[in-house]
Amino acid sequence: MTGNGKSRWADDEEDAALEAQLRKEKEEKKRLKAEKARKLGAEKQAAAAAAAASAAAQREQQAHYDGDEGANNGPPSKRRRLSPEHETAGAGASSSAPAGGSSDRNTSSSSAPKLLRFDGGAFGKSRSVEEYDKLNDIEEGAYGWVARAQEHATGKVVALKRLKIDPKDRSGLPVTGLREIQILKDCDHRNVLKLQEVVVGQDTSKIESIFLVLDFIEHDLKSILEDMPEPFLASEVKTLLLQLSAGVNYLHDNWILHRDLKTSNLLLNNRGQLKIADFGMARYVGDPPPKKLTQLVVTLWYRAPELLLGASRYDSAIDMWSVGCIFGELLTREPLLQGKNEVDELTKIFELCGIPTDETWPSFRRLPNARSLRLPTTNSAGARIATGSLVRAKFPLLRSAGVALLNGLLALDPDRRLTAKEMLEHEYFRQDPKPKQEVLFPTFPSKAGQERRRRRQTPNAPVRGQAVADLGAVDLSGIFSGREREERGGGFSLRMV
Amino acid sequence: MSHMSNPLATPRQLYQRRSFSSLPSELQDAIFFATQCLTQAAGVLLKLPQSATAQANVLLARYWLVEPFMSHEFSDISAASIYLVAKVGPSPRSPRHVSNVYAYLLSTSSSFFRSPSLPPPSNNPSSYYLSDSAYQSFHNRILAAEARILYALSFNTHVSLPHPLAVTYLQTLDFLYVRKEKISKRALAYLNTSLLSPQMLYLTSQPNALAVAAIYNAAKDIGAKMPECEWWEVFDVDREELGFLVVAMRSLEGSARKMREDVPAMTEGMITRKTIEDEMKRRGLYAGNGYDMDSKALDPEAEMARQMDEKMAAMEAAR
């Protein structure tokens, strides 16, 4: 095997021609053989009854199959007779001929049925960052450095994101960075930021600087929201949410949890297209989800209650909670739940969505941090309101389908939270006003394109290795004490039952 | 579809590896085979699931199509690939753990790659004791090699394995009178063996083809009756490719035996760069840069000419 291995992979034209000829000859031989077998079968039916009959049946079946497939129907006589013995012989022949290799299996004979071909691409060395010219820095934050750059060869403008590498880290390249690269490489969706390639610094003898080459997108939603004089129109919110849920649905369909959805990680280009970015926290999960996942995920303001309560087993519902928070933020231009710490965040969640009860979240009490929580008892004064959601009161301009969607996304019980697929089909998107066409989206001055400088205010995603916050014994029983008064005091707000 | 496909080697990569390497092809094969075996052995001792070890095997094979064999010590590249796969996957292993396992496998106490005819080596803990400085230097080497592997593969660590496909395919096929456990075990054994094959089957065929070929071989071995139609086409494999893979999978045993005859050093533990250099010297092929060659060696020019003749003859024969 090793001897002729040398030439099997050879792929010059001469070889190809030779292979083609060999194949032609082989096919001709096969055809003759098959024909002979058929004649033989017809003449000596008694003697070769079993074999010939099965072969004929085979041929018929095959022809039928071909017809069904709509593939090129070769004449039945071209079909070869099959038996395991024949197969091994054929296999031997094909391995001694170079044609059996990998180089040209796509150019198979014309009578071959239509087979699905998997194209996984090829592999090879990374290119150098020297292929790009830096135009300007975009930001330098917790995740590292991002710059706008232009490719020499094509003039294409891209974003270069430098992977943060700690040379003192004795576990080598950061696993989050590697996961981000792998996940982005596997993704291909219009609402997910595209990773074009990974390039390395000039000195390749020691890989110290690694850059992700990403599509350059002009804005992030966070800075647009901060600078807009007026909030988005209802139709614009729908377009953005629809794109967000399409992207998240794609990720969840492909077993990816993003785990850090927030407005600063959602990019928007000047054609109104939204892209989910920053997969530094993302990972693949299976079904059922892995038993032990880190709780240190998702930026605090977008973190789902089950994470805050210490669940180590969670699923795609945590992303949907973040989507709910983003929905609220798109409506008001303000982050929905701005907790100062884990306890405060939880308080704010319960203030908005109500205190969980056995009906609204049956498994709530079994979560690690829930045991130490003291919640207002149900027979106290504010109980009736406290267990219901205040979403409708907080968003008086939202119509009932919108409220239903937001409530569905902010359901405390992760099992009852809407999935991305359910969200895509939600009534909200079918009601008037209809989602605005992307191309009709307003444009904004781009900070990343250096039309303005960018600053950042949201807290960052938790860092791996941080201690998980132990909520300790927390007394939340007082959180609704002033509520009755507030509700009545608001001039235009409606009192909800 | 990325869960069902792999990036494959281009014909150019395969051709260059074979034709432009300074190493004769049988030595290339020996290095490949031994290092893949080492990776598997380390995977067992690290208690990694075979899915992780197999991915390390595939990454290692890809790496060597991009970078030359002799640029790093073979065991370092093996350790780095297994460390990398474990790290990004669900079952990470610490560098300390990895280094201990490799220190043991490469020591004189392990029976790895020792001739089975010899008595098993006595266990001598000092032979695999790692001093602090030895550990530090090993650690540095695997981190450097890890980065190198990632660079060579442009950071694409995606590997989809044929094993789960083979099980799924078997569930759809009905092999009369044969217990499914028996045939699936055999099929998985073929798939695992193919990881070691210097023909780099995982780099030239997609997982569905590997799965079908393994099932075919397993059914033949066990004597299970296969469907009488071209059932492999249901799984998008054509006859030609299946035939090639069936033979290739079956040939490894013989070629491994031959390898041991060609490279006697393979029975004395894991081969290293030093082993290969010595072997090259023995054959008079070693291109030491002004380095004094063995006096016994043949005239390098004559040897070179002979080698070229052989190569030509081999190419002719292959046609």
Side-chain angles (χ1 to χ4, degrees):
Chain A
M1 291 314 302
T2 50
N4 59 26
K6 232 175 280 163
S7 73
R8 181 176 312 120
W9 313 121
D11 192 43
D12 46 343
E13 279 169 20
E14 211 176 302
D15 271 8
L18 197 71
E19 279 163 22
Q21 203 192 335
L22 269 174
R23 206 178 311 113
K24 219 183 270 170
E25 281 170 18
K26 225 165 78 188
E27 266 163 33
E28 186 63 19
K29 250 186 243 165
K30 264 184 216 147
R31 199 180 60 78
L32 287 173
K33 207 167 159 187
E35 201 127 57
K36 216 162 110 190
R38 203 172 55 127
K39 273 183 199 157
L40 214 76
E43 283 166 19
K44 299 187 183 179
Q45 248 181 4
S54 78
Q58 177 94 58
R59 280 198 294 273
E60 264 170 40
Q61 193 186 350
Q62 198 57 51
H64 181 66
Y65 185 71
D66 279 357
D68 276 354
E69 291 274 286
N72 346 333
N73 315 340
S77 62
K78 260 199 168 174
R79 285 279 150 204
R80 45 211 172 204
R81 215 183 118 253
L82 290 168
S83 69
E85 283 69 35
H86 185 95
E87 168 56 31
T88 19
S94 80
S95 88
S96 64
S102 63
S103 52
D104 60 350
R105 69 176 88 87
N106 290 327
T107 56
S108 45
S109 60
S110 61
S111 65
K114 266 224 164 73
L115 300 180
L116 192 59
R117 282 293 161 218
F118 299 95
D119 183 18
F123 50 85
K125 275 183 194 170
S126 302
R127 297 200 303 163
S128 162
V129 72
E130 303 296 313
E131 306 279 338
Y132 294 89
D133 263 337
K134 190 181 108 171
L135 298 175
N136 60 276
D137 289 338
I138 298 174
E139 63 179 63
E140 174 136 28
Y143 346 71
W145 168 93
V146 185
R148 197 163 69 108
Q150 188 171 30
E151 190 178 3
H152 284 308
T154 59
K156 206 161 73 176
V157 175
V158 296
L160 283 184
K161 174 174 168 178
R162 186 182 190 142
L163 205 67
K164 214 172 189 178
I165 299 175
D166 181 4
K168 289 197 282 294
D169 182 2
R170 296 298 283 158
S171 59
L173 298 179
V175 62
T176 49
L178 297 179
R179 276 191 189 152
E180 174 173 18
I181 292 173
Q182 197 53 58
I183 288 176
L184 281 172
K185 264 186 196 279
D186 291 347
C187 284
D188 181 19
H189 189 268
R190 65 189 297 274
N191 297 119
V192 177
L193 189 65
K194 184 121 194 76
L195 174 68
Q196 292 169 0
E197 61 173 327
V198 182
V199 293
V200 296
Q202 200 172 21
D203 178 16
T204 57
S205 62
K206 209 162 185 300
I207 307 298
E208 277 166 336
S209 38
I210 297 166
F211 302 88
L212 278 59
V213 181
L214 302 153
D215 281 345
F216 174 73
I217 310 288
E218 291 86 351
H219 316 281
D220 67 281
L221 264 184
K222 174 88 193 148
S223 30
I224 290 183
L225 286 167
E226 275 170 5
D227 296 339
M228 300 176 91
E230 291 292 319
F232 281 116
L233 299 175
S235 60
E236 291 166 351
V237 171
K238 283 187 189 178
T239 312
L240 292 174
L241 270 187
L242 209 49
Q243 296 189 57
L244 173 60
S245 51
V248 173
N249 184 40
Y250 173 83
L251 296 180
H252 291 175
D253 264 357
N254 285 283
W255 308 101
I256 298 164
L257 294 191
H258 185 283
R259 305 201 295 184
D260 195 18
L261 288 173
K262 54 178 171 181
T263 43
S264 53
N265 284 343
L266 300 180
L267 307 182
L268 188 70
N269 68 15
N270 275 334
R271 292 167 302 287
Q273 212 177 70
L274 179 144
K275 308 243 182 205
I276 300 171
D278 206 318
F279 284 66
M281 290 272 144
R283 65 161 288 162
Y284 276 107
V285 289
D287 181 25
K291 281 197 189 71
K292 190 107 183 68
L293 290 165
T294 173
Q295 302 157 33
L296 281 169
V297 290
V298 193
T299 304
L300 184 61
W301 296 346
Y302 303 85
R303 201 178 297 168
E306 65 268 27
L307 287 172
L308 290 164
L309 290 171
S312 59
R313 192 166 196 166
Y314 51 82
D315 57 14
S316 54
I318 63 154
D319 280 346
M320 298 317 292
W321 178 272
S322 309
V323 171
C325 296
I326 291 165
F327 187 6
E329 190 170 342
L330 289 177
L331 294 169
T332 61
R333 289 176 293 166
E334 276 285 301
L336 186 62
L337 298 159
Q338 305 186 38
K340 287 191 269 303
N341 51 40
E342 276 87 352
V343 176
D344 192 37
E345 181 70 19
L346 209 50
T347 312
K348 292 216 154 56
I349 290 174
F350 290 160
E351 275 174 355
L352 180 68
C353 307
I355 296 286
T357 61
D358 283 346
E359 290 86 57
T360 56
W361 191 357
S363 57
F364 156 71
R365 277 289 164 196
R366 286 196 289 278
L367 291 173
N369 292 345
R371 266 170 249 136
S372 50
L373 282 188
R374 275 208 323 137
L375 297 171
T377 48
T378 35
N379 51 6
S380 80
R384 197 164 49 97
I385 299 165
T387 54
S389 156
L390 280 182
V391 165
R392 189 182 282 274
K394 192 160 162 117
F395 299 97
L397 294 176
L398 202 57
R399 298 176 54 175
S400 58
V403 171
L405 175 59
L406 188 49
N407 268 329
L409 292 170
L410 296 181
L412 289 173
D413 183 355
D415 293 336
R416 293 187 200 175
R417 215 169 285 154
L418 290 178
T419 64
K421 191 164 261 109
E422 286 162 352
M423 179 176 173
L424 277 174
E425 286 152 12
H426 200 274
E427 175 65 23
Y428 172 66
F429 296 111
R430 288 196 299 270
Q431 281 187 357
D432 281 330
K434 294 272 191 295
K436 194 176 200 168
Q437 278 185 26
E438 285 166 22
V439 286
L440 298 178
F441 241 70
T443 56
F444 310 89
S446 168
K447 288 182 179 179
Q450 232 184 16
E451 288 151 11
R452 303 201 37 195
R453 286 288 308 159
R454 193 182 281 216
R455 87 204 114 92
R456 102 182 358 266
Q457 280 173 337
T458 15
N460 289 314
V463 180
R464 276 170 78 86
Q466 251 176 13
V468 176
D470 180 12
L471 295 187
V474 181
D475 187 354
L476 293 183
S477 50
I479 66 172
F480 294 112
S481 51
R483 201 177 200 189
E484 287 290 303
R485 223 174 318 125
E486 275 173 33
E487 288 258 320
R488 287 186 196 125
F492 293 101
S493 77
L494 295 170
R495 171 125 188 244
M496 285 300 129
V497 180
Chain B
M1 272 308 179
S2 70
H3 294 287
M4 290 211 21
S5 59
N6 276 325
L8 295 186
T10 60
R12 168 177 286 274
Q13 281 171 330
L14 294 162
Y15 178 69
Q16 281 192 337
R17 220 306 278 284
R18 282 288 167 188
S19 310
F20 295 124
S21 171
S22 59
L23 296 173
S25 64
E26 66 271 22
L27 285 186
Q28 292 184 17
D29 289 352
I31 296 170
F32 186 96
F33 177 72
T35 313
Q36 296 291 31
C37 290
L38 178 69
T39 313
Q40 278 290 332
V44 172
L45 292 188
L46 286 166
K47 298 206 170 97
L48 280 171
Q50 171 66 359
S51 60
T53 315
Q55 287 188 36
N57 282 135
V58 176
L59 287 190
L60 181 61
R62 287 185 196 161
Y63 167 80
W64 268 337
L65 270 194
V66 180
E67 297 255 274
F69 278 111
M70 300 296 272
S71 62
H72 284 83
E73 185 56 67
F74 316 132
S75 55
D76 288 350
I77 288 292
S78 161
S81 63
I82 210 162
Y83 173 69
L84 171 64
V85 167
K87 184 165 89 173
V88 293
S91 37
R93 294 291 181 267
S94 71
R96 182 90 231 185
H97 200 164
V98 174
S99 68
N100 285 345
V101 162
Y102 276 84
Y104 174 75
L105 283 172
L106 300 178
S107 74
T108 49
S109 296
S110 102
S111 58
F112 180 71
F113 260 115
R114 275 179 228 288
S115 172
S117 54
L118 299 171
S122 58
N123 186 27
N124 174 16
S126 67
S127 70
Y128 49 89
Y129 169 75
L130 265 187
S131 70
D132 221 32
S133 63
Y135 166 64
Q136 285 303 330
S137 94
F138 177 83
H139 193 161
N140 289 338
R141 291 201 313 271
I142 63 168
L143 293 192
E146 177 199 29
R148 195 72 200 171
I149 292 174
L150 284 166
Y151 161 63
L153 303 180
S154 44
F155 293 83
N156 191 354
T157 48
H158 170 83
V159 178
S160 75
L161 294 173
H163 302 61
L165 276 183
V167 173
T168 311
Y169 290 176
L170 276 169
Q171 279 168 341
T172 66
L173 291 167
D174 189 19
F175 289 104
L176 283 175
Y177 306 121
V178 178
R179 289 196 10 253
K180 274 201 172 143
E181 302 90 83
K182 210 171 151 198
I183 196 164
S184 47
K185 251 192 195 146
R186 190 81 193 165
L188 292 186
Y190 268 108
L191 289 177
N192 287 332
T193 311
S194 316
L195 287 165
L196 314 174
S197 164
Q199 296 190 64
M200 297 176 286
L201 303 177
Y202 279 68
L203 306 193
T204 55
S205 295
Q206 292 293 359
N208 64 323
L210 292 168
V212 167
I215 291 173
Y216 186 96
N217 271 331
K220 289 284 285 180
D221 286 358
I222 287 171
K225 196 166 171 300
M226 282 182 261
E228 286 184 357
C229 54
E230 301 197 336
W231 56 272
W232 42 86
E233 289 182 353
V234 176
F235 305 119
D236 297 303
V237 181
D238 65 29
R239 196 186 148 78
E240 201 173 14
E241 184 175 19
L242 174 67
F244 168 71
L245 283 173
V246 163
V247 175
M249 282 183 179
R250 287 177 171 275
S251 69
L252 183 67
E253 196 183 346
S255 56
R257 202 174 298 120
K258 185 163 175 302
M259 236 179 263
R260 285 202 169 86
E261 285 162 17
D262 284 350
V263 189
M266 279 179 82
T267 51
E268 296 153 21
M270 176 64 195
I271 52 172
T272 61
R273 280 196 288 187
K274 176 89 175 46
T275 327
I276 296 297
E277 277 164 14
D278 289 349
E279 179 71 22
M280 294 283 275
K281 267 183 224 159
R282 197 175 63 81
R283 299 182 184 198
L285 285 171
Y286 186 68
N289 298 326
Y291 181 73
D292 185 26
M293 293 224 277
D294 259 4
S295 51
K296 279 176 283 178
L298 300 166
D299 174 23
E301 275 214 10
E303 180 60 20
M304 181 73 83
R306 191 188 64 81
Q307 195 69 26
M308 280 166 75
D309 286 351
E310 267 183 14
K311 217 169 221 177
M312 283 306 290
M315 279 162 84
E316 288 295 330
R319 289 195 181 165

